[in-house]
Amino acid sequence: KQEVTQIPAALSVPEGENLVLNCSFTDSAIYNLQWFRQDPGKGLTSLLLIQSSQREQTSGRLNASLDKSSGRSTLYIAASQPGDSATYLCAVGGTASKLTFGTGTRLQVTL
Amino acid sequence: DVKVTQSSRYLVKRTGEKVFLECVQDMDHENMFWYRQDPGLGLRLIYFSYDVKMKEKGDIPEGYSVSREKKERFSLILESASTNQTSMYLCASSLSLLVTLHFGNGTRLTVT
């Protein structure tokens, strides 16, 4: 059974700092890995999707990498801003019906 | 832009009541999903549907049923609500089973 772990559970950084969020998974037989953002009391917003054949994806200040062999993904956020404060979740799996979510990293970017 | 709309943001129901949670998507997506989210447990799939009138159980279907009579609408039904069904319920849709999900804003259900 796939297990997804995100460490740390919470992180606080000052504005402007670059930061890395980690996601690890136990079964490397995956089709893709996705990163989502969730604001308090809201649904999830898709940030990046990496197919299993890819090593990384970039969108603006966000860069996600995937290393299937080691069961790891990282989400790199450059020049963090207070608006980046949210919970970040990774999800791995095959078809969407088999997505397994981590419990998330709660990020706070302070002024 | 895809919009997934859940009819209620907050619901309070009594134990034993029949509860309907409604979800509508406007992008003609084939696939729709119901998740529940609980602290420390993450998101867990309750049911999903890959076509009208088609459904499959997810990881935690017990105590729930679903209905998909039209492509754009997917309903989650709690036949007899119990306190352990107090949770945040999230609906999602996708164009195919290999691309990202689009989520609604969630319904926070409290069963007293």
Side-chain angles (χ1 to χ4, degrees):
Chain A
K1 180 187 172 187
Q2 180 73 269
E3 292 183 5
V4 180
T5 303
Q6 292 186 248
I7 296 174
L11 181 64
S12 181
V13 300
E15 181 180 13
E17 194 163 294
N18 302 326
L19 61 102
V20 174
L21 306 180
N22 298 295
C23 173
S24 61
F25 48 95
T26 55
D27 186 350
S28 62
I30 67 171
Y31 283 83
N32 56 42
L33 183 143
Q34 304 182 42
W35 283 93
F36 293 88
R37 168 188 171 135
Q38 186 176 30
D39 292 291
K42 298 288 184 66
L44 280 67
T45 301
S46 177
L47 296 174
L48 290 164
L49 183 150
I50 310 175
Q51 302 293 352
S52 63
S53 58
Q54 297 174 318
R55 296 282 296 185
E56 65 179 321
Q57 279 284 346
T58 298
S59 176
R61 294 182 294 109
L62 305 180
N63 175 276
S65 68
L66 173 63
D67 184 342
K68 270 181 47 176
S69 60
S70 66
R72 292 182 182 179
S73 175
T74 61
L75 178 67
Y76 174 83
I77 302 177
S80 58
Q81 303 171 358
D84 294 330
S85 298
T87 296
Y88 291 81
L89 297 102
C90 72
V92 304
T95 58
S97 66
K98 301 299 183 185
L99 276 180
T100 303
F101 284 83
T103 53
T105 294
R106 189 171 67 253
L107 173 66
Q108 183 173 8
V109 181
T110 58
L111 292 171
Chain B
D1 223 13
V2 177
K3 189 163 186 182
V4 179
T5 302
Q6 295 183 231
S7 55
S8 304
R9 290 299 310 277
Y10 301 95
L11 275 179
V12 180
K13 298 292 182 181
R14 293 192 179 275
T15 302
E17 276 193 77
K18 189 169 186 176
V19 181
F20 293 86
L21 302 184
E22 306 286 347
C23 176
V24 176
Q25 50 95 2
D26 66 356
M27 283 301 290
D28 204 35
H29 283 175
E30 302 292 332
N31 309 293
M32 297 188 74
F33 309 81
W34 276 106
Y35 288 87
R36 65 177 281 178
Q37 184 177 28
D38 300 287
L41 297 176
L43 273 80
R44 293 178 292 168
L45 181 64
I46 305 171
Y47 268 98
F48 76 98
S49 169
Y50 51 91
D51 201 351
V52 175
K53 296 188 187 293
M54 306 301 287
K55 61 186 180 186
E56 281 198 25
K57 294 179 180 179
D59 297 321
I60 51 164
E62 296 79 19
Y64 303 94
S65 62
V66 291
S67 172
R68 194 166 181 201
E69 296 296 320
K70 293 185 178 181
K71 192 174 187 179
E72 67 271 18
R73 187 179 298 269
F74 192 34
S75 302
L76 180 69
I77 304 157
L78 287 66
E79 295 290 342
S80 177
S82 64
T83 55
N84 63 12
Q85 292 178 310
T86 291
S87 186
M88 170 71 108
Y89 290 87
L90 293 164
C91 175
S93 73
S94 71
L95 184 60
S96 79
L97 294 180
L98 291 176
V99 297
T100 193
L101 303 182
H102 299 267
F103 282 85
N105 275 332
T107 296
R108 185 166 294 280
L109 173 67
T110 301
V111 183
T112 62

